[in-house]
Amino acid sequence: MQQAINHLSQNEIIFDNIIKKYGLPKIPARPQGFETLVLLILEQQVSIDSAKATFLKIKAKHETLQPITLLHLSDEEFRNFGVSRQKTAYIKALATAILNKEINLESLASKSAIQVREELIKIKGIGNWTIDIYLMFCLQEQDLIPLGDIAVVNTIKELFDIHTKEEMEILSRNWQPYRSFATFLLWHHYLSKRNRKIVY
């Protein structure tokens, strides 16, 4: 991590300022596999805290989340956990893909980021944001900037005064090959400024 931080702080004064003001960011890490993808589906377009509360309700009833278990839960059971109909469909699509051997999650660790994206994007409900976060949190991909993340986009707008994703993509090339660490710094600024702490 130190090499990435040195590179970013030396090449971008704004990152250096974030570190001086708020310290180093927490580097998120999550286990690979089905449970984390279920949690990421729950996190789509809602707060991490809200999604985690829903996830823990499911875990309280089903301690080990397995594809076969969640596939056989009724829509009403999911609704009682606080899961929307749409996200229920996404979770079941993921479970079905695994059980039908359309995807092997264990094999993703040995594949490139492009290959991982090509496999996961085929599953209904798993889009680029979910894939980006899985790559960064679970597979430790070092060079991603998730421009589908509202906090990242809003922080770039605030700090760099640019407002289109095309401009953001161009800007982020200056942060290669450590765009994931740049993202962690952007989240760090976003959360610290608001006195919020997130457990990833």
Side-chain angles (χ1 to χ4, degrees), residues 93-111:
L94 172 62
T96 299
I98 293 169
L99 291 169
N100 289 345
K101 302 189 186 306
E102 295 164 17
I103 189 167
N104 179 349
L105 297 183
E106 292 180 0
S107 74
L108 297 182
S110 63
K111 297 180 178 177

Side-chain angles (χ1 to χ4, degrees), residues 8-31:
L8 293 168
S9 60
Q10 289 167 10
N11 287 280
E12 184 61 76
I13 188 65
I14 287 175
F15 290 139
D16 189 48
N17 290 340
I18 291 172
I19 294 167
K20 285 176 178 174
K21 187 170 184 178
Y22 298 118
L24 293 174
K26 177 179 173 61
I27 305 301
R30 288 182 181 175

Side-chain angles (χ1 to χ4, degrees), residues 15-146:
F15 290 139
D16 189 48
N17 290 340
I18 291 172
I19 294 167
K20 285 176 178 174
K21 187 170 184 178
Y22 298 118
L24 293 174
K26 177 179 173 61
I27 305 301
R30 288 182 181 175
Q32 299 172 33
F34 177 67
E35 283 199 12
T36 292
L37 279 169
V38 169
L39 178 55
L40 287 173
I41 289 171
L42 294 174
E43 286 177 355
Q44 293 171 4
Q45 299 180 319
V46 301
S47 73
I48 288 177
D49 290 338
S50 171
K52 189 171 184 180
T54 301
F55 181 75
L56 291 176
K57 286 180 187 176
I58 301 172
K59 287 276 288 180
K61 187 77 180 288
H62 305 278
E63 185 175 345
T64 304
L65 298 189
Q66 298 291 339
I68 190 72
T69 305
L70 296 192
L71 186 62
H72 288 149
L73 290 184
S74 68
D75 288 1
E76 182 180 1
E77 287 174 293
F78 272 108
R79 191 163 56 250
N80 289 338
F81 289 129
V83 183
S84 70
R85 183 178 298 177
Q86 186 178 50
K87 289 184 179 180
T88 295
Y90 294 167
I91 291 169
K92 290 190 174 185
L94 172 62
T96 299
I98 293 169
L99 291 169
N100 289 345
K101 302 189 186 306
E102 295 164 17
I103 189 167
N104 179 349
L105 297 183
E106 292 180 0
S107 74
L108 297 182
S110 63
K111 297 180 178 177
S112 70
I114 292 173
Q115 290 172 319
V116 171
R117 192 177 305 278
E118 287 173 347
E119 291 200 30
L120 287 175
I121 202 74
K122 296 175 185 176
I123 301 170
K124 180 182 178 182
I126 295 186
N128 283 315
W129 178 85
T130 303
I131 296 167
D132 285 345
I133 303 303
Y134 191 83
L135 280 164
M136 292 166 65
F137 286 22
C138 304
L139 301 178
Q140 287 75 57
E141 172 59 42
Q142 294 192 354
D143 194 33
L144 274 177
I145 181 83

